[in-house]
Amino acid sequence: MDSDMGRGMGEDADEELLRGRVYGQDHDDPRPGPRPGRVYAELVGGPLDGLLLDVTDWTARERAAGAVLETELGRFGAEGRSLYDPRPGDAVRFDWSGDAP
């Protein structure tokens, strides 16, 4: 993890984070989990709860803006998106804030 995303997390939390599934990776991917050298934020709440979001190449501004993620699991079905905002003071978690068409 890069220096500003992983600080303050214990080794147990790091191991738990690395066991997760990454948003956007194919179910058939032989390596469906996180990859070394990448930076992830955990999605908390909503239809994508527990997935990891690869934010490795995101700027600070992009991270602050949050994420609008395609998902058919939310309120609007196959055409829907779920909205996730960075948790204040916790750079490794994005909280669900609702669904959009």
Side-chain angles (χ1 to χ4, degrees):
M1 291 194 165
D2 76 7
S3 60
D4 65 336
M5 291 292 289
R7 288 189 185 177
M9 294 181 63
E11 287 182 23
D12 290 339
D14 286 342
E15 288 175 14
E16 183 178 332
L17 188 65
L18 292 176
R19 284 193 292 265
R21 233 184 78 230
V22 178
Y23 171 83
Q25 284 186 341
D26 290 337
H27 295 286
D28 296 338
D29 190 325
R31 294 176 45 198
R35 297 190 173 146
R38 306 298 295 178
V39 178
Y40 298 93
E42 180 184 2
L43 301 175
V44 179
L48 302 176
D49 184 49
L51 293 181
L52 303 176
L53 179 64
D54 188 340
V55 295
T56 303
D57 298 322
W58 292 27
T59 66
R61 178 177 278 172
E62 289 169 329
R63 289 181 192 172
V68 178
L69 305 171
E70 294 180 8
T71 182
E72 55 190 54
L73 301 173
R75 178 177 172 200
F76 297 97
E79 300 298 318
R81 289 164 176 48
S82 287
L83 313 172
Y84 285 85
D85 297 317
R87 182 179 291 181
D90 188 350
V92 297
R93 289 183 179 77
F94 280 25
D95 293 314
W96 178 69
S97 60
D99 292 324

